[in-house]
């Protein structure tokens, strides 16, 4: 196995580990806002250490310019979105399975693809067949996952709530006769 | 409840990735993506602190540990993926394998180890979603 392929396989496992630890945080009763702070703190430490020690001090690369104020503003806006995204995902994963939750977050890669088509008018250059096909598959997937939640909630609310990973609030709702995940 | 939170996560996570395309438009994607991500994570930390500090609570050791693992997974995942591309692995192979593969591993762990229940609709939805991501990343 080549070095590149080995790095790819480890990247696959590391990204899967990210998804699994999201559910682990729920199972270990971690608070979403606290986990979010820890996640961004350590990731920022890694990235800033690499930037300052490897790129600036080690390789003597110039930062400002070429990195402009506009690029910083974009990073700030997108970083804000990311923080809210991970926080809401952490809250939401308490009410549903990690299998489908992690899928939905990964499906969001369609948003930058669609925005690129519209804002940068990439559709004028070419529309690749993958874009409409993946959009249809995403819509189909979202519909099927919605049906999944409806079916499970109607068939066996207590059984679903008693499943490993279901939060205490859901369990109490189910024992009180209400369907979980449908407030 | 789950669907509402996931809808917000879907939208915010999607918009957070669009910055990479803007960076590409500035001609900085290949040379300064690390600096972009430094500001990206730094801002994320400030927002996370802004939502946590008003609660006036302490972070528990297990939250530091699990959040730390997540942070390391997130940042090292990016390093490894770009490293694999730098070693000559083509993008049309790297992205579908990394994203589609991680989805499959998470689905496997969810169903086999955590014993999460899905209906036939759920399994079909997962397969449909994995197919969508693999198709998209080959574009």
């Amino acid at each position: 196995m080549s070095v590149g392929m080995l790095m790819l396989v480890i990247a696959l496992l590391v990204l899967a580990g990210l998804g699994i630890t999201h559910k682990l945080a729920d199972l270990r009763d971690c608070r979403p806002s606290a986990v979010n702070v820890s996640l961004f703190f350590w990731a920022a430490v890694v990235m800033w250490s690499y930037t300052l020690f490897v790129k600036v001090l080690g390789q003597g690369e110039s930062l400002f310019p070429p990195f402009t104020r506009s690029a910083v503003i974009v990073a700030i806006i997108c970083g804000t979105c990311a923080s809210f995204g991970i926080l809401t995902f952490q809250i939401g994963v308490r009410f549903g399975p990690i299998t489908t939750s992690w899928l939905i977050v990964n499906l969001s890669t369609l948003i930058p693809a669609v925005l690129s088509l519209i804002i940068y008018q990439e559709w004028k250059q070419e529309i690749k067949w993958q874009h409409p096909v993946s959009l249809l598959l995403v819509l189909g997937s979202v519909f099927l996952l919605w049906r999944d939640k409806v079916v499970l909630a109607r068939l066996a609310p207590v059984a679903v709530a008693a499943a490993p990973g279901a939060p205490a609030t859901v369990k109490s709702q189910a024992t009180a006769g209400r369907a979980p995940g449908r407030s | 409840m789950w669907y509402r939170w996931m809808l917000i996560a879907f939208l915010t996570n999607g918009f957070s990735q669009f910055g990479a395309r803007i960076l590409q438009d500035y001609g900085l994607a290949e040379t300064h993506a690390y600096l972009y991500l430094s500001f990206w994570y730094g801002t994320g930390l400030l927002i996370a602190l802004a939502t946590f500090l008003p609660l006036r609570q302490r972070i528990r050791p297990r939250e530091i540990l699990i959040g730390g693992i997540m942070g390391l997974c997130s940042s090292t995942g990016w390093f490894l993926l770009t490293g694999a591309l730098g070693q000559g692995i083509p993008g049309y192979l790297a992205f579908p394998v990394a994203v589609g593969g991680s989805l499959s591993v998470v689905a496997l762990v969810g169903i086999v180890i955590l014993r999460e229940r899905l209906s036939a609709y759920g399994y079909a939805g997962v397969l449909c979603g994995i197919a969508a991501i693999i198709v998209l990343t080959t574009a």
Side-chain angles (χ1 to χ4, degrees):
Chain A
M1 184 183 282
S2 67
V3 175
M5 194 55 78
L6 183 65
M7 291 176 93
L8 182 59
V9 171
I10 299 172
L12 183 161
L13 295 173
V14 163
L15 290 172
L18 179 61
I20 293 162
T21 43
H22 270 293
K23 191 65 188 179
L24 185 67
D26 168 42
L27 295 176
R28 294 286 176 188
D29 199 27
C30 295
R31 294 159 299 170
S33 54
V35 169
N36 205 29
V37 169
S38 183
L39 187 160
F40 276 98
F41 172 78
W42 289 110
V45 165
V46 169
M47 291 310 301
W48 277 109
S49 301
Y50 178 77
T51 300
L52 296 176
F53 295 111
V54 178
K55 290 290 179 180
V56 177
L57 295 176
Q59 299 174 1
E61 281 194 11
S62 169
L63 299 182
F64 304 100
F67 208 79
T68 58
R69 189 188 296 172
S70 306
V72 174
I73 292 170
V74 169
I76 287 172
I77 293 170
C78 291
T80 303
C81 284
S83 192
F84 280 117
I86 290 176
L87 182 62
T88 50
F89 176 76
Q90 261 292 309
I91 297 170
V93 81
R94 294 169 166 236
F95 298 95
I98 186 64
T99 312
T100 45
S101 305
W102 191 240
L103 171 69
I104 284 187
V105 164
N106 279 279
L107 289 178
S108 66
T109 51
L110 193 72
I111 289 178
V114 171
L115 285 176
S116 297
L117 280 173
I118 298 167
I119 294 174
Y120 291 103
Q121 299 188 330
E122 289 177 349
W123 55 271
K124 281 185 178 175
Q125 299 158 15
E126 59 170 335
I127 291 185
K128 293 178 179 173
W129 65 268
Q130 288 97 331
H131 290 140
V133 169
S134 57
L135 180 62
L136 287 174
L137 284 168
V138 166
L139 292 175
S141 175
V142 169
F143 173 75
L144 288 165
L145 293 176
W146 169 71
R147 286 298 306 165
D148 173 66
K149 297 295 287 183
V150 171
V151 166
L152 286 181
R154 280 182 185 164
L155 285 180
V158 176
V160 172
T169 49
V170 180
K171 287 178 181 173
S172 63
Q173 279 183 354
T175 48
R178 283 179 286 159
R182 305 184 75 199
S183 60
Chain B
M1 184 68 83
W2 174 83
Y3 226 82
R4 289 175 201 164
W5 285 115
M6 285 302 141
L7 178 65
I8 300 170
F10 174 82
L11 292 172
T12 49
N13 197 57
F15 283 118
S16 77
Q17 297 172 47
F18 186 57
R21 175 65 184 83
I22 301 172
L23 203 67
Q24 189 183 8
D25 192 49
Y26 291 161
L28 297 167
E30 291 191 4
T31 55
H32 286 71
Y34 57 89
L35 185 58
Y36 169 78
L37 283 172
S38 298
F39 278 106
W40 196 85
Y41 281 123
T43 308
L45 174 62
L46 292 178
I47 298 296
L49 285 170
T51 57
F52 180 70
L53 291 179
L55 301 175
R56 296 181 180 278
Q57 294 172 345
R58 288 191 169 197
I59 298 183
R60 294 189 287 249
R62 63 171 175 266
E63 290 165 343
I64 295 173
L65 178 68
I66 293 174
I69 294 169
M70 286 180 187
L72 293 177
C73 283
S74 177
S75 52
T76 55
W78 180 83
F79 276 119
L80 287 163
L81 200 54
T82 52
L85 291 169
Q87 289 287 325
I89 303 292
Y92 67 81
L93 181 67
F95 291 106
V97 168
V99 178
S102 77
L103 270 174
S104 306
V105 171
V106 171
L108 198 67
V109 169
I111 293 165
V112 176
I113 296 176
L114 300 175
R115 296 185 181 180
E116 291 180 336
R117 284 185 52 189
L118 296 179
S119 69
Y121 287 114
Y123 287 111
V126 169
L127 287 176
C128 218
I130 291 174
I133 288 165
I134 290 173
V135 167
L136 187 65
T137 49
T138 59

